[in-house]
Amino acid sequence: MSQLSLKQLEKSFNEARIIKGIDLDVSEGEFVVFVGPSGCGKSTLLRMIAGLEEVSGGQIEISGQVVNDLPPVKRGIAMVFQSYALYPHMSVYENIAFPLRVEKLPQAEVDARVGAAAKVLQLESRLQHRPGQLSGGQRQRVAIGRAIVRQPKIFLFDEPLSNLDAALRSEMRIELMELHKRLGSTMIYVTHDQIEAMTMADKIVVLNAGEISQVGGPLELYHKPDNLFVAGFIGSPKMNFISGKVRKADGATATIDLGSLGTIALPRTSTAVAGQDVTLGIRPEHLSLGEGEFGLETTPNIVEQLGIHTITYSTLSGGENFIGLFEGNPALAEGQPVRMSFPLDKVHLFDAKGLAVY
Amino acid sequence: MTSTRSATLFALALLAPALLYILVIVAYPLFDTVVLSFTNAALRPTYDFVGWANYQRIFSAGNFTEVILRTLIWTFFSVSIKMIIGMAGAVLLNAAIPGQTLFRVLTMPPWIVPMAIGIFMWGWMYNGQFGMISGLLQNFGIISKPWPILAAGDSAFWATIVTDVWIGVPMVTIYFLAAMQSIPRDLYEAAWTDGAGRFYRFRRITVPMMLPAIITMSLLSLIATFNSFDIIYILTRGGPSGSTTTMIIDTYNTAMGSRKYGEGAARAVVICIFVTLFCLVYFRAVRKLQQGEAK
C-alpha cells in the first residue's frame, strides 16, 4: 500500500495554475526526489503535502487518510526548510527539542529523544551552542534533528543542501542517504540539482510547469527518457539535440534527413513519425573520436580538460550546440576540426510533440 | 607612523562638525547648568557661589521627593501602557487582513498632527461643559453632572497619561511592527509544522526575537516620557495643586515661574542624573543582549 498518494492535485494562486492535476504514489520507506527547474512547482507541491499551502483541488492521502484539511502536525510529517529555520535565540538543544516542548512531553523523554537525535547527527558536543555559532553543515543537521525527534512517517526536505558549498553538499548528501538507510522512513526531497536527484533517489519525479514529466528510477530516466524535457534535464553535460525530418518509416527503420549532416537510419518500429519533424538526442558521453556507426565533423569553440575527461563545445551547421565528452586527455584543440561518431543504439528519437519514439 | 597620524587627523577632521555641535549645543549648556546649580542666580542680578545650598534646600523642602515619586509613577504607567498597546497594535497590523495598508496609515495621525494641536484637542475633550468625554458619559447615564476631568487631581493625573499614550503609541507600534516583520516567515512555518499554536509561537518566537527592539523602545520611551513637558504644561500646567507636576514641570516652574535660576538648575541636574541612570541601564542591556547572541 502506498504511504502517500496524490490524486489529481491542483494548486492555483488567483488565475495562475501552479500545480496541474498531479497523480503520484509513494511507498513506505522510499526516497523520492522532486526535481525540476525553478518555478516548476516542486516546492509548492512539497508545501502542499506538508500542509503549509492549501489544496485547490484533488486529494492528498497519507496512510490511507485524506489529510487535505488537517494541520501539518496531524499529518505525521516533519519538514526541513531550505533556510534551516532555526530559532537563533535558542540553544541547539532547545531547537531540536522544540516540537517535543510543543507536545509538552516530560523532561526525561525530551532528554532521551534529543540525545538520541544528537548522537545520530554527531551534534552531542554542540547542544548548548546557539545556531549562530555553528557551520552551515551543522545547522543543517540541527534542522534535521528537529525533524527526527518527532518520529514522523514522512520526512519532507525543501532544497536542504542548496545553501552549502559544493564539498559540504556532497558530504551531506552521503549523510542523508545513510540517515535514510538507518531510519527507514519515507523521505521526499525537493531539489533543482539533477545530480542530487540521480545520486539519492529511489524514485525521481521530474516536474515541469506544474506537471509530472516522468516518474522513474534514476537509470530509467537516464536511459529511457519519455520526452525531450526529461532527456535534456537529466544528465550532465546535457544531451545534444539535432533536428531532422523523417523521410521514411517502414516499421523497422526510420530514415531521417539531418540536412548537411547527412541521413541516418535508426531501428524504430513506429510508423507514425513518417514525414514528421523530429529531434535526435545523443548524450555527450556516448560520442567517440574517429569513425563509427554515424560520424560527423565539428570544430570545438571551447575545450575543457578536466583530467579524468575532456569536454568539447561546438556549434553544428544547423545552429545547435553540440557537446562531446571523452575519456582521458585526447589531443583536441579549440578551432581545429575533429571527427566524432556515435553508435546508433545510443540515439534517442523524439517526435514533433517532443515524445520519445521507440 | 606618519600615515597613521594623518589618518587620525583626517578622522578628527571628519568628526569636527559633530564634535563642535555637541560641544556648543550639549556640553556647554550642560556644564553651565551644573555651575548655575551651585549659585544663587535669580531675577535679581546676583550670581554668588553658594555650594550645595540649592540641593540642600530642594531635598529638605519635602515636596521634591514627592515630585520625583510622582514622575516615576507617571512615567511607569505611561511607558507600560504605550508598550502594551504598541505591541498589541503591531500584532494586529501584522495580521494578514484585507485593508492592511489602510489600517497602517490610520495609526499615524496622533504622531503626524502637530503635538500642540493634538494636546489642545484632548484639552477640549476633557472639558466638563463642552467636552466629548463628559458629554458622552452623561448621555449614557454613567455620570449625572458635568465632569471637568482636568479640574480634579486624580483624574487630571490619568488624563495626562492618556494623552501622552495617545501621542506616543504610533511610534511604538510602527517600530514594533518593523521588528516583527524582520522575523523570518520560515520560523513561524517551522513552528506551525511542529504544532505550535498562535500564542505559543508569539511567546517562544515573536517576543524573544523582538527583545532587542522591546528593550530599546522601552528605554528610549522611558527617557522621552520622563522628560515629557508639553503635554502636561498645555493641559494642566502641573496642576491642579501640583497633582500633575513632574520633575520637568517642577524645574520649569522653579526656574522660569519663580525665577530662581540657581535652584531650578539644581532640579535640572537631578533630572540629568536620572536620565543618565536610564542610559546606563540601556547600554548594559544592549551589551548583555549582544553577548547573549554571541554565546
Side-chain angles (χ1 to χ4, degrees), chain A residues 47 83 89 130 133 150, chain B residues 186-187 189 193 204 292 295:
Chain A
R47 290 169 60 84
S83 64
H89 56 284
R130 295 271 177 103
Q133 294 165 277
R150 289 189 47 203
Chain B
D186 278 2
L187 297 188
E189 287 189 340
T193 312
R204 288 209 64 196
K295 215 189 264 173

Side-chain angles (χ1 to χ4, degrees), chain A residues 47 50-52 71-73 77-79 81 83 85-90 94 98-99 101-102 129-130 133 146 150, chain B residues 184-197 200-201 203-206 208-209 289 291-295:
Chain A
R47 290 169 60 84
L52 292 170
V73 69
I77 55 99
M79 180 144 162
F81 291 78
S83 64
L86 300 181
Y87 310 115
H89 56 284
M90 294 182 201
E94 282 305 324
F98 190 89
R101 301 274 188 225
V102 175
H129 290 141
R130 295 271 177 103
Q133 294 165 277
R146 195 168 59 193
R150 289 189 47 203
Chain B
R185 226 181 98 130
D186 278 2
L187 297 188
Y188 292 107
E189 287 189 340
W192 163 236
T193 312
D194 289 338
Y200 193 87
R201 290 190 305 242
R203 191 164 63 82
R204 288 209 64 196
I205 301 174
T206 311
M209 290 209 59
L289 273 177
Q291 280 165 354
E293 257 161 46
K295 215 189 264 173

Side-chain angles (χ1 to χ4, degrees), chain A residues 313-330:
Chain A
Y313 298 86
S314 38
T315 310
L316 296 182
S317 53
E320 299 101 336
N321 291 323
F322 197 75
I323 305 173
L325 185 145
F326 310 101
E327 273 187 35
N329 315 297

